[in-house]
Amino acid sequence: MNAMISSAQALEMDAFEAAGALFFELVEALRSAEGRAMDLSQLEKLLAEGGQELLRKLLQGHMDLRSLDSVEGPVVGDDGKGRKDRHRRARKVETVFGEVVVDRERFQAEGL
């Protein structure tokens, strides 16, 4: 087996690692003596905040996986003109779960 893996393969394997770690942190907080001593409103706050961040991390992992996809073949705009210049672009996007970074391919042509 080849010990070398590509950065894309590494990202695919680790895309949801941060979300998984946070999930298990939340579970441990609920299992702990401190968690068992919390009243209902404290538990709701813990889960609302942690759950929101968990969902954001899941969405970020998914967006990271999508960034691995690339367009095959020629890219033609609505104007019928081809876009041959390919660039990567990352930008921050505010979602209902919080801010994520979206990295995607961008296609351009001179003068367009």
Side-chain angles (χ1 to χ4, degrees), residues 20-105:
L22 179 56
F23 173 78
F24 287 112
E25 285 176 29
L26 287 169
V27 169
E28 286 307 311
L30 294 170
R31 280 187 181 143
S32 71
E34 294 85 6
R36 290 194 309 270
M38 288 181 179
D39 63 27
L40 182 58
S41 66
Q42 291 170 316
L43 288 169
E44 287 177 326
K45 182 177 180 184
L46 171 75
L47 291 175
E49 292 171 0
Q52 186 78 2
E53 180 61 7
L54 174 61
L55 293 173
R56 189 198 68 75
K57 286 181 183 285
L58 286 168
L59 180 58
Q60 182 64 66
H62 177 78
M63 298 311 295
D64 291 347
L65 283 179
R66 288 177 68 158
S67 75
L68 299 176
D69 298 339
S70 66
V71 175
E72 300 299 325
V75 174
V76 178
D78 289 340
D79 57 7
K81 297 179 182 176
R83 269 71 169 171
K84 294 181 182 178
D85 297 329
R86 184 181 293 223
H87 306 279
R88 300 250 9 127
R89 178 178 174 226
R91 67 183 182 102
K92 294 177 181 178
V93 177
E94 190 63 36
T95 74
V96 296
F97 306 115
E99 186 177 273
V100 296
V101 176
V102 177
D103 184 26
R104 62 185 179 174
E105 284 185 304

